[in-house]
Amino acid sequence: MTELVRTVAATVFLVLMSGCSASLAPVVDIYGQDTRQRKVTSGTHHVREGETLYSIAWRYGWDYRELGAANNIPAPYTIYPGQRISLALKQTSTAPVSRPRSVTSSTTSSSTTSKPASKPSSKPAPSPAPVTKPAASKPAVSSDSGSRTVGPVTWRWPAGGTVVEQFSASSSGRKGIAISGRLKSPVIAAAEGRVVYRGSGLTGYGNLLILKHNDRWLSAYAHNDAMLVKEGDVVKAGQKIATMGATGTFRTQLHFEIRRDGKPVDPMQYLPKQ
């Protein structure tokens, strides 16, 4: 009887322990529900080894410039393990700040020097020539049928294969596309840029690369098998940067994202039509 009680107690203990360990490290798949789709605006993040401000901003839905400015971290956005990054901030605009027009010397002198009223001039002051605003940039397919230029960035497909998951704008939807393919098939840079993150610290992304194309545009390549570039490397459009894998997911595929000012956009609106 005593032996039976011991056996039952041991079994219950093992079940409880297995349940606790599962709750400590939940597996979140970005093809199901991603718990970090909305911008997080509370709490703090403690920087761990291997993280960059770009990866932290990506994780919490921030633009890296916003997060850097809010935490007094200037370019080139260097951070250190153990550093605290505050997320309890109001969202700020990343649009360029418009500067007031410069004041002409004549205007300045008239505003600072008091003159008696005089007879109105027979000829009105010439009005400044109207400023012609450049036409809004429209997506244009380049002469190379394998690429598409949208604004300042020329995009191409990051891998061969079939698109099996589409972008979703809903708060719980996936923020990129999934391209199925063969294990170890090439993953290429969708546009020229610089590697700003290489690691596996973002839950649900597996082996992840993030490229910065300019101040506004980033792209990400997830679930890689091998990653062939390192942080700081400058890569050309079409350069092989990784091989397709199944890290952090349930099948061999590439999860590809494009973000503008920290916000996910539909890659299908920027990639050339197949």
Side-chain angles (χ1 to χ4, degrees):
M1 182 67 177
T2 303
E3 186 64 30
L4 177 61
V5 171
R6 289 178 179 175
T7 302
V8 171
T11 302
V12 171
F13 177 77
L14 290 173
V15 169
L16 290 174
M17 289 300 294
S18 63
C20 290
S21 62
S23 63
L24 289 175
V27 176
V28 180
D29 196 301
I30 55 179
Y31 300 102
Q33 286 189 339
D34 188 345
T35 58
R36 299 224 183 264
Q37 294 297 349
R38 296 180 181 178
K39 175 179 282 191
V40 177
T41 56
S42 62
T44 59
H45 178 87
H46 288 225
V47 179
R48 294 176 293 181
E49 189 73 34
E51 290 185 316
T52 69
L53 190 69
Y54 296 92
S55 66
I56 295 170
W58 195 280
R59 179 193 299 269
Y60 295 110
W62 284 81
D63 177 83
Y64 68 93
R65 295 168 297 169
E66 279 186 307
L67 200 58
N71 283 274
N72 296 317
I73 304 173
Y77 308 109
T78 303
I79 57 177
Y80 305 93
Q83 184 175 352
R84 293 187 178 187
I85 305 296
S86 176
L87 305 170
L89 310 160
K90 292 182 179 180
Q91 182 173 354
T92 58
S93 173
T94 56
V97 178
S98 58
R99 298 181 179 179
R101 290 182 299 175
S102 59
V103 182
T104 63
S105 58
S106 60
T107 305
T108 304
S109 60
S110 63
S111 62
T112 56
T113 306
S114 176
K115 293 183 179 181
S118 59
K119 184 179 179 180
S121 172
S122 59
K123 293 184 179 181
S127 58
V131 178
T132 303
K133 296 183 178 180
S137 174
K138 295 182 179 180
V141 179
S142 68
S143 58
D144 179 1
S145 60
S147 63
R148 186 182 189 191
T149 300
V150 183
V153 183
T154 298
W155 301 96
R156 63 181 64 203
W157 281 88
T162 303
V163 176
V164 292
E165 300 282 350
Q166 295 282 353
F167 173 88
S168 172
S170 67
S171 60
S172 61
R174 57 193 63 85
K175 298 309 175 188
I177 59 174
I179 304 172
S180 67
R182 295 178 292 103
L183 181 66
K184 299 185 183 299
S185 58
V187 173
I188 67 170
E192 65 176 326
R194 181 168 60 88
V195 181
V196 293
Y197 179 73
R198 177 187 188 272
S200 56
L202 274 69
T203 303
Y205 284 89
N207 290 334
L208 172 68
L209 290 171
I210 299 177
L211 301 187
K212 175 185 177 183
H213 305 293
N214 55 39
D215 284 343
R216 305 189 70 183
W217 295 90
L218 301 172
S219 62
Y221 312 74
H223 307 313
N224 301 300
D225 180 60
M227 296 189 286
L228 308 178
V229 291
K230 61 183 183 299
E231 285 178 19
D233 284 354
V234 175
V235 299
K236 297 179 180 179
Q239 178 179 333
K240 185 177 178 182
I241 57 175
T243 59
M244 194 178 291
T247 58
T249 188
F250 58 93
R251 63 186 172 199
T252 299
Q253 61 190 339
L254 172 69
H255 173 78
F256 176 67
E257 291 188 36
I258 297 177
R259 294 197 184 186
R260 178 183 180 182
D261 296 332
K263 297 180 180 180
V265 296
D266 186 356
M268 299 298 285
Q269 300 298 319
Y270 299 88
L271 297 173
K273 297 189 182 300
Q274 291 183 315

